[in-house]
PDB file of all heavy atoms in Angstrom:
ATOM      1  N   PHE B 140     -25.147 -88.408  -7.340  1.00 97.00           N
ATOM      2  CA  PHE B 140     -25.228 -87.318  -6.336  1.00 97.00           C
ATOM      3  C   PHE B 140     -26.516 -86.520  -6.635  1.00 97.00           C
ATOM      4  O   PHE B 140     -27.230 -86.309  -5.596  1.00 97.00           O
ATOM      5  CB  PHE B 140     -23.965 -86.445  -6.365  1.00 97.00           C
ATOM      6  CG  PHE B 140     -24.044 -85.350  -5.548  1.00 97.00           C
ATOM      7  CD1 PHE B 140     -23.757 -85.401  -4.088  1.00 97.00           C
ATOM      8  CD2 PHE B 140     -24.345 -84.017  -6.080  1.00 97.00           C
ATOM      9  CE1 PHE B 140     -23.887 -84.229  -3.371  1.00 97.00           C
ATOM     10  CE2 PHE B 140     -24.347 -82.953  -5.198  1.00 97.00           C
ATOM     11  CZ  PHE B 140     -24.214 -83.035  -3.848  1.00 97.00           C
ATOM     12  N   LYS B 178     -27.685 -72.408   2.045  1.00 97.00           N
ATOM     13  CA  LYS B 178     -26.380 -71.891   1.488  1.00 97.00           C
ATOM     14  C   LYS B 178     -25.743 -73.025   0.561  1.00 97.00           C
ATOM     15  O   LYS B 178     -24.811 -72.791  -0.062  1.00 97.00           O
ATOM     16  CB  LYS B 178     -25.365 -71.511   2.531  1.00 97.00           C
ATOM     17  CG  LYS B 178     -25.897 -70.340   3.398  1.00 97.00           C
ATOM     18  CD  LYS B 178     -24.766 -69.906   4.309  1.00 97.00           C
ATOM     19  CE  LYS B 178     -24.368 -70.941   5.388  1.00 97.00           C
ATOM     20  NZ  LYS B 178     -23.690 -70.458   6.532  1.00 97.00           N
ATOM     21  N   CYS B 179     -26.289 -74.198   0.535  1.00 98.00           N
ATOM     22  CA  CYS B 179     -25.644 -75.306  -0.171  1.00 98.00           C
ATOM     23  C   CYS B 179     -25.436 -75.083  -1.608  1.00 98.00           C
ATOM     24  O   CYS B 179     -26.496 -74.624  -2.379  1.00 98.00           O
ATOM     25  CB  CYS B 179     -26.516 -76.523   0.013  1.00 98.00           C
ATOM     26  SG  CYS B 179     -25.884 -77.929  -0.900  1.00 98.00           S
ATOM     27  N   ILE B 180     -24.338 -75.326  -2.202  1.00 98.00           N
ATOM     28  CA  ILE B 180     -23.993 -75.187  -3.599  1.00 98.00           C
ATOM     29  C   ILE B 180     -23.927 -76.538  -4.346  1.00 98.00           C
ATOM     30  O   ILE B 180     -23.470 -76.581  -5.426  1.00 98.00           O
ATOM     31  CB  ILE B 180     -22.800 -74.361  -3.872  1.00 98.00           C
ATOM     32  CG1 ILE B 180     -21.566 -74.885  -3.109  1.00 98.00           C
ATOM     33  CG2 ILE B 180     -23.069 -72.776  -3.500  1.00 98.00           C
ATOM     34  CD1 ILE B 180     -20.230 -74.188  -3.449  1.00 98.00           C
ATOM     35  N   LEU B 181     -24.314 -77.592  -3.651  1.00 98.00           N
ATOM     36  CA  LEU B 181     -24.330 -78.940  -4.293  1.00 98.00           C
ATOM     37  C   LEU B 181     -23.021 -79.340  -4.954  1.00 98.00           C
ATOM     38  O   LEU B 181     -22.928 -79.860  -6.014  1.00 98.00           O
ATOM     39  CB  LEU B 181     -25.424 -78.990  -5.382  1.00 98.00           C
ATOM     40  CG  LEU B 181     -26.883 -78.745  -4.775  1.00 98.00           C
ATOM     41  CD1 LEU B 181     -27.847 -78.557  -5.964  1.00 98.00           C
ATOM     42  CD2 LEU B 181     -27.213 -80.004  -4.080  1.00 98.00           C
ATOM     43  N   CYS B 182     -21.938 -79.071  -4.064  1.00 98.00           N
ATOM     44  CA  CYS B 182     -20.606 -79.369  -4.561  1.00 98.00           C
ATOM     45  C   CYS B 182     -20.172 -80.677  -4.327  1.00 98.00           C
ATOM     46  O   CYS B 182     -19.148 -81.247  -4.852  1.00 98.00           O
ATOM     47  CB  CYS B 182     -19.561 -78.402  -3.876  1.00 98.00           C
ATOM     48  SG  CYS B 182     -19.329 -78.684  -2.146  1.00 98.00           S
ATOM     49  N   ALA B 183     -20.843 -81.504  -3.407  1.00 98.00           N
ATOM     50  CA  ALA B 183     -20.698 -82.941  -3.071  1.00 98.00           C
ATOM     51  C   ALA B 183     -19.386 -83.215  -2.340  1.00 98.00           C
ATOM     52  O   ALA B 183     -19.010 -84.263  -1.990  1.00 98.00           O
ATOM     53  CB  ALA B 183     -20.502 -83.693  -4.389  1.00 98.00           C
ATOM     54  N   ALA B 184     -18.715 -82.023  -1.741  1.00 98.00           N
ATOM     55  CA  ALA B 184     -17.616 -82.215  -0.789  1.00 98.00           C
ATOM     56  C   ALA B 184     -18.053 -83.013   0.442  1.00 98.00           C
ATOM     57  O   ALA B 184     -17.299 -83.840   0.882  1.00 98.00           O
ATOM     58  CB  ALA B 184     -17.059 -80.829  -0.352  1.00 98.00           C
ATOM     59  N   CYS B 185     -19.280 -82.687   0.997  1.00 98.00           N
ATOM     60  CA  CYS B 185     -19.574 -83.427   2.203  1.00 98.00           C
ATOM     61  C   CYS B 185     -19.910 -84.944   1.958  1.00 98.00           C
ATOM     62  O   CYS B 185     -19.251 -85.728   2.550  1.00 98.00           O
ATOM     63  CB  CYS B 185     -20.896 -82.822   2.740  1.00 98.00           C
ATOM     64  SG  CYS B 185     -22.340 -82.560   1.614  1.00 98.00           S
ATOM     65  N   THR B 186     -20.812 -85.216   0.849  1.00 97.00           N
ATOM     66  CA  THR B 186     -21.151 -86.518   0.641  1.00 97.00           C
ATOM     67  C   THR B 186     -19.968 -87.446   0.281  1.00 97.00           C
ATOM     68  O   THR B 186     -19.841 -88.502   0.714  1.00 97.00           O
ATOM     69  CB  THR B 186     -22.203 -86.583  -0.555  1.00 97.00           C
ATOM     70  OG1 THR B 186     -23.362 -85.839  -0.073  1.00 97.00           O
ATOM     71  CG2 THR B 186     -22.581 -88.047  -0.907  1.00 97.00           C
ATOM     72  N   ALA B 202     -25.455 -84.280   1.621  1.00 98.00           N
ATOM     73  CA  ALA B 202     -25.984 -83.173   0.844  1.00 98.00           C
ATOM     74  C   ALA B 202     -27.504 -83.236   0.603  1.00 98.00           C
ATOM     75  O   ALA B 202     -28.214 -82.232   0.748  1.00 98.00           O
ATOM     76  CB  ALA B 202     -25.343 -83.055  -0.494  1.00 98.00           C
ATOM     77  N   VAL B 205     -29.214 -82.383   3.830  1.00 98.00           N
ATOM     78  CA  VAL B 205     -29.091 -80.900   4.001  1.00 98.00           C
ATOM     79  C   VAL B 205     -30.289 -80.214   3.194  1.00 98.00           C
ATOM     80  O   VAL B 205     -31.017 -79.373   3.754  1.00 98.00           O
ATOM     81  CB  VAL B 205     -27.811 -80.356   3.521  1.00 98.00           C
ATOM     82  CG1 VAL B 205     -27.783 -78.902   3.289  1.00 98.00           C
ATOM     83  CG2 VAL B 205     -26.764 -80.604   4.623  1.00 98.00           C
ATOM     84  N   ALA B 244     -15.783 -80.604   5.835  1.00 97.00           N
ATOM     85  CA  ALA B 244     -15.486 -80.526   4.321  1.00 97.00           C
ATOM     86  C   ALA B 244     -16.337 -79.353   3.697  1.00 97.00           C
ATOM     87  O   ALA B 244     -15.913 -78.787   2.746  1.00 97.00           O
ATOM     88  CB  ALA B 244     -15.936 -81.783   3.509  1.00 97.00           C
ATOM     89  N   CYS B 245     -17.409 -78.962   4.332  1.00 98.00           N
ATOM     90  CA  CYS B 245     -18.326 -78.003   3.651  1.00 98.00           C
ATOM     91  C   CYS B 245     -17.738 -76.677   3.360  1.00 98.00           C
ATOM     92  O   CYS B 245     -17.374 -75.936   4.363  1.00 98.00           O
ATOM     93  CB  CYS B 245     -19.635 -77.856   4.400  1.00 98.00           C
ATOM     94  SG  CYS B 245     -20.768 -76.756   3.535  1.00 98.00           S
ATOM     95  N   PRO B 246     -17.450 -76.266   2.203  1.00 97.00           N
ATOM     96  CA  PRO B 246     -16.866 -75.003   1.930  1.00 97.00           C
ATOM     97  C   PRO B 246     -17.831 -73.782   2.134  1.00 97.00           C
ATOM     98  O   PRO B 246     -17.393 -72.638   2.200  1.00 97.00           O
ATOM     99  CB  PRO B 246     -16.524 -75.075   0.312  1.00 97.00           C
ATOM    100  CG  PRO B 246     -17.577 -75.938  -0.099  1.00 97.00           C
ATOM    101  CD  PRO B 246     -17.939 -76.999   1.017  1.00 97.00           C
ATOM    102  N   ARG B 247     -19.134 -74.034   2.430  1.00 97.00           N
ATOM    103  CA  ARG B 247     -20.038 -72.929   2.800  1.00 97.00           C
ATOM    104  C   ARG B 247     -20.228 -72.794   4.222  1.00 97.00           C
ATOM    105  O   ARG B 247     -20.988 -72.066   4.689  1.00 97.00           O
ATOM    106  CB  ARG B 247     -21.459 -73.130   2.095  1.00 97.00           C
ATOM    107  CG  ARG B 247     -21.283 -73.306   0.563  1.00 97.00           C
ATOM    108  CD  ARG B 247     -21.015 -71.993  -0.124  1.00 97.00           C
ATOM    109  NE  ARG B 247     -22.274 -71.201  -0.094  1.00 97.00           N
ATOM    110  CZ  ARG B 247     -22.337 -69.951  -0.362  1.00 97.00           C
ATOM    111  NH1 ARG B 247     -21.187 -69.270  -0.735  1.00 97.00           N
ATOM    112  NH2 ARG B 247     -23.474 -69.301  -0.407  1.00 97.00           N
ATOM    113  N   ILE B 249     -21.633 -74.790   6.245  1.00 98.00           N
ATOM    114  CA  ILE B 249     -22.921 -75.300   6.750  1.00 98.00           C
ATOM    115  C   ILE B 249     -22.678 -76.355   7.843  1.00 98.00           C
ATOM    116  O   ILE B 249     -21.763 -77.117   7.692  1.00 98.00           O
ATOM    117  CB  ILE B 249     -23.640 -75.919   5.689  1.00 98.00           C
ATOM    118  CG1 ILE B 249     -23.942 -74.991   4.561  1.00 98.00           C
ATOM    119  CG2 ILE B 249     -24.919 -76.583   6.100  1.00 98.00           C
ATOM    120  CD1 ILE B 249     -24.553 -75.435   3.297  1.00 98.00           C
ATOM    121  N   VAL B 251     -23.407 -79.282   8.761  1.00 97.00           N
ATOM    122  CA  VAL B 251     -24.035 -80.386   8.165  1.00 97.00           C
ATOM    123  C   VAL B 251     -24.593 -81.457   9.109  1.00 97.00           C
ATOM    124  O   VAL B 251     -25.621 -81.893   9.112  1.00 97.00           O
ATOM    125  CB  VAL B 251     -23.184 -81.080   7.048  1.00 97.00           C
ATOM    126  CG1 VAL B 251     -23.945 -82.207   6.393  1.00 97.00           C
ATOM    127  CG2 VAL B 251     -22.665 -79.996   6.051  1.00 97.00           C
TER     128      VAL B 251
HETATM  129  S1  SF4 C   9     -23.641 -79.153   2.275  1.00 64.48           S
HETATM  130 FE1  SF4 C   9     -21.761 -78.057   1.874  1.00 64.48          FE
HETATM  131  S2  SF4 C   9     -20.316 -79.682   1.260  1.00 64.48           S
HETATM  132 FE2  SF4 C   9     -22.352 -80.504   1.126  1.00 64.48          FE
HETATM  133  S3  SF4 C   9     -22.929 -80.202  -1.050  1.00 64.48           S
HETATM  134 FE3  SF4 C   9     -23.695 -78.495   0.152  1.00 64.48          FE
HETATM  135  S4  SF4 C   9     -22.189 -76.871   0.012  1.00 64.48           S
HETATM  136 FE4  SF4 C   9     -21.270 -78.765  -0.641  1.00 64.48          FE
END
Side-chain angles (χ1 to χ4, degrees):
Chain B
F140 174 80
K178 295 188 302 200
C179 176
I180 54 174
L181 297 168
C182 69
C185 54
T186 297
V205 160
C245 179
R247 301 286 284 169
I249 299 171
V251 182

